[in-house]
Amino acid sequence: MDAATLFSSDYATARQRFREAALSLNCELESHSIDQRGPGGEDLAIDVAIAPGARPGRVLVISSGIHGVEGFLGSAVQLGMLREWAGRTPSLPSVRCVLLHALNPFGFAWRRRFNEANVDLNRNLLLEGESFSGSPRLYRALDGLLNPKRVPSRWEPLTLKFLLAIARYGMPALKESVAAGQYDYPCGLFYGGDRPSRTSEILSRHFERWLADSRQVMHLDFHTGLGARANCKLLIDYPLDDAQRERLGLWFGPDSFECVGSHEVGYPVRGSFGRWCTVRNRGRDYLYAAAEFGTYRPTQVLAGLRAENQAQHWGQPEDRLTECAKQRLVELFCPQSAIWRTKVLEHGVQLVHQAIDGLAGEASHQS
Ligand SMILES: [Zn+2]
């Protein structure tokens, strides 16, 4: 599989290629507009391709781009799978596959992690009874450092400021407080919003139908920017039962996954897609994993997110500074390096193969 050809240069290209590949395979294809426009005036939408599968009781969900700019890798994996299926007979996999493309199309198109309302969609999917309010105590203390109300400056001694904050509060506490989500600073990083987003509404309305009458679901939700460079971890942020834990080890390898709470790579968050999926699907055996692929160091990623957010809120869209911040953000979440792209794409495709083999194998084992 040629990584170079599967990574798209922008959202519009990614979307067009995803749709063409799905249509050529005779997948069911849906499009859900979020009523926003991209940089070229194009409509922004979540596209859904479904390969029905001969064993509808088992479903693989492959989702990309809930964090906008992180969508380049997930979209490339989805395109790679569709093209792989097109090149063989029988073309479609035996289990039902639901491909959710660009869950945050605005962020993907405008090169942001956040959506049109500055919302981190992976903090917006609150459960019933949870309220869109509150922030970690430490976030309040760090608001001035994280979210300066001015355009980014190249001359700011940011690394030093980050190091001082790390020395003062410790890395684990910072990770948890900064990236775990906040609901009080609408222009700040990792803002969870004040209401369900358009994406949340679309998911709430259609998710059950996409899963059809499945009983067992494996969900791979593709992310980038966390962990060691080009390495992958499947991050789980909800309680697993023993059978699920065993299944993850069997399908993907014993060291492939990490339960958040052990704090090696991930951190607990509110409003996450994983918890939302598993709580809503209590009647199913639903196994969700955020497939995280590392790119750059956490401080570099945070600095890039901060600069882009400053440019978005306080800069002008046509400014060179804004463009620089956007380009830097894309590099931080989808490095140009051919070695990185080849490695993560191969690993991403392998995860999909392992999931399909696992689902299909269990199906035949139990029937
Ligand atoms: Zn992410």
Side-chain angles (χ1 to χ4, degrees):
M1 206 171 272
D2 184 3
T5 64
L6 292 170
F7 281 89
S8 299
S9 54
D10 52 39
Y11 161 78
T13 310
R15 181 183 185 204
Q16 188 189 352
R17 298 207 298 170
F18 176 82
R19 290 183 57 82
E20 282 173 4
L23 283 171
S24 76
L25 261 174
N26 284 328
C27 287
E28 297 164 25
L29 185 61
E30 301 176 11
S31 197
H32 300 275
S33 173
I34 60 158
D35 301 320
Q36 296 283 334
R37 297 277 154 190
E42 72 273 23
D43 184 42
L44 300 180
I46 296 168
D47 292 288
V48 182
I50 299 175
R55 293 190 173 111
R58 311 286 165 115
V59 175
L60 173 63
V61 178
I62 309 168
S63 51
S64 69
I66 194 165
H67 278 148
V69 68
E70 296 179 19
F72 289 97
L73 170 60
S75 175
V77 171
Q78 290 171 327
L79 183 63
M81 292 318 305
L82 291 170
R83 291 195 176 166
E84 181 185 302
W85 295 339
R88 63 173 202 199
T89 315
S91 56
L92 292 175
S94 60
V95 300
R96 180 178 177 86
C97 289
V98 178
L99 279 62
L100 310 178
H101 185 262
L103 287 173
N104 173 4
F106 183 93
F108 198 162
W110 289 96
R111 295 173 291 171
R112 315 205 67 210
R113 177 184 164 110
F114 313 115
N115 83 345
E116 59 277 14
N118 198 49
V119 171
D120 184 329
L121 296 181
N122 207 28
R123 311 287 181 273
N124 183 254
L125 290 156
L126 293 177
L127 305 176
E128 229 176 85
E130 291 183 320
S131 73
F132 288 91
S133 63
S135 308
R137 184 187 51 81
L138 202 46
Y139 193 100
R140 294 174 186 280
L142 292 166
D143 174 49
L145 172 61
L146 294 172
N147 310 308
K149 294 178 173 51
R150 58 172 188 270
V151 293
S153 157
R154 226 184 293 169
W155 311 114
E156 190 182 358
L158 189 58
T159 307
L160 180 65
K161 290 183 181 179
F162 280 171
L163 288 174
L164 286 172
I166 293 168
R168 181 163 178 196
Y169 301 111
M171 195 58 168
L174 279 180
K175 250 192 193 176
E176 274 191 44
S177 317
V178 173
Q182 53 86 9
Y183 300 85
D184 298 325
Y185 302 88
C187 291
L189 297 173
F190 311 108
Y191 174 56
D194 62 0
R195 72 198 71 179
S197 67
R198 189 85 177 92
T199 294
S200 301
E201 287 170 6
I202 291 166
L203 290 173
S204 297
R205 193 168 311 144
H206 301 285
F207 210 76
E208 180 67 29
R209 179 172 57 79
W210 295 331
L211 295 179
D213 58 355
S214 59
R215 295 180 309 282
Q216 187 182 41
V217 183
M218 179 69 225
H219 184 163
L220 295 170
D221 185 33
F222 281 86
H223 291 254
T224 55
L226 199 60
R229 188 172 173 93
N231 271 24
C232 173
K233 272 280 181 206
L234 300 176
L235 300 184
I236 316 286
D237 69 342
Y238 56 91
L240 287 176
D241 64 35
D242 289 346
Q244 289 178 320
R245 192 177 289 270
E246 192 178 322
R247 195 183 312 147
L248 280 173
L250 201 63
W251 291 7
F252 303 105
D255 299 324
S256 63
F257 66 98
E258 177 190 316
C259 291
V260 172
S262 59
H263 299 310
E264 273 178 43
V265 179
Y267 40 78
V269 304
R270 283 175 69 199
S272 77
F273 194 20
R275 280 203 313 149
W276 184 89
C277 287
T278 49
V279 168
R280 283 178 69 98
N281 287 288
R282 285 226 167 93
R284 295 182 165 95
D285 182 352
Y286 201 105
L287 190 44
Y288 164 99
E292 269 286 2
F293 292 80
T295 55
Y296 286 86
R297 290 198 305 275
T299 49
Q300 291 176 294
V301 173
L302 184 60
L305 283 167
R306 176 188 189 263
E308 188 278 335
N309 201 44
Q310 285 178 273
Q312 179 77 18
H313 293 300
W314 314 106
Q316 297 300 320
E318 63 279 4
D319 268 5
R320 200 179 52 83
L321 261 177
T322 304
E323 181 55 27
C324 283
K326 299 274 180 190
Q327 285 181 11
R328 179 73 189 136
L329 197 74
V330 173
E331 172 64 22
L332 286 166
F333 285 101
C334 184
Q336 283 290 333
S337 155
I339 295 170
W340 183 87
R341 291 190 170 195
T342 302
K343 193 171 170 198
V344 296
L345 187 86
E346 280 175 1
H347 200 146
V349 165
Q350 184 190 25
L351 291 176
V352 175
H353 287 159
Q354 288 168 328
I356 291 174
D357 288 352
L359 285 164
E362 283 213 358
S364 59
H365 179 71
Q366 290 191 355
S367 58

